[in-house]
């Protein structure tokens, strides 16, 4: 005996949407080609940059609250862990990791050059934390931008083997 509110029995006007089969779930992947590998997606720019910058700020706040100056492992560990977490959780494929090299070069240059320039403007006490956060933010931005261009090691299509 059909229910009075059974959606399968409703009349749909001719200009309305076609009736939907409630027993079959929507196929959400119908728009994507079947050969798209989710690991080939680039790193998420906003999330990676904001999380890395936030981690760098947190590391500097924790370092300021410590009685002894922290070691290099502590200072480098937080932001590096966030970048690794971003790569692993988003399954960014290894041909997109090449951006870590220019990101590291830019971040190191920003830190060392920025720290000396900021020491004149802000003083020595603020130069290190501001340069540290700026360097990690630059690293994450360069890494995320470079992940949009995968590094390929294969020959171009149509090229003949040597």
């Amino acid at each position: 005996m059909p229910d009075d509110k059974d959606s399968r029995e409703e009349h749909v006007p001719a200009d309305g949407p076609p009736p939907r089969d409630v027993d079959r779930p929507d196929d959400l992947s119908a728009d994507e080609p079947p050969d798209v590998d989710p690991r080939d997606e680039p790193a998420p720019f906003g999330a990676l940059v904001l999380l890395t910058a936030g981690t760098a700020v947190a590391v500097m706040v924790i370092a300021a609250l410590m009685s002894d100056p922290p070691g290099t492992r502590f200072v480098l560990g937080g932001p590096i862990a966030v970048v690794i977490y971003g790569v692993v959780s988003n399954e960014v494929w290894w041909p997109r990791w090449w951006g870590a090299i220019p990101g590291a070069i830019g971040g190191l240059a920003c830190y060392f050059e920025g720290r000396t320039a900021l020491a004149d403007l802000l003083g020595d006490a603020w130069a290190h934390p501001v340069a540290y956060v700026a360097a990690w933010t630059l690293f994450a931005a360069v890494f995320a931008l470079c992940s949009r261009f995968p590094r390929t090691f294969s020959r171009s299509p149509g090229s003949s083997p040597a």
Side-chain angles (χ1 to χ4, degrees):
M1 178 172 181
D3 190 16
D4 291 338
K5 303 278 185 186
D6 192 2
S7 64
R8 290 178 284 188
E9 301 291 329
E10 289 181 11
H11 174 62
V12 177
D15 61 337
R20 189 176 144 237
D21 188 4
V22 293
D23 295 334
R24 192 183 81 192
D26 290 334
D27 187 14
L28 299 176
S29 63
D31 297 335
E32 294 181 14
D35 60 342
V36 172
D37 190 354
R39 296 175 301 171
D40 203 29
E41 292 296 317
F45 183 80
L48 186 65
V49 171
L50 289 175
L51 281 174
T52 306
T55 303
V57 168
V59 165
M60 286 292 102
V61 167
I62 292 170
L65 296 175
M66 294 176 76
S67 59
D68 292 330
T72 306
R73 286 184 187 171
F74 175 77
V75 173
L76 294 177
I80 288 174
V82 168
V83 172
I84 291 171
Y85 171 75
V87 168
V88 170
S89 67
N90 293 295
E91 296 182 9
V92 178
W93 207 16
W94 68 268
R96 296 191 180 268
W97 295 352
W98 69 273
I101 295 169
I105 293 169
L108 287 171
C110 175
Y111 175 74
F112 289 113
E113 295 297 322
R115 187 177 65 175
T116 57
L118 287 170
D120 295 337
L121 295 173
L122 303 173
D124 289 333
W126 285 97
H128 169 66
V130 172
Y132 179 83
V133 172
W136 277 110
T137 304
L138 178 66
F139 169 78
V142 169
F143 176 75
L145 286 174
C146 289
S147 74
R148 272 122 177 88
F149 306 101
R151 177 120 171 118
T152 57
F153 295 107
S154 62
R155 291 188 305 266
S156 61
S159 63
S160 63

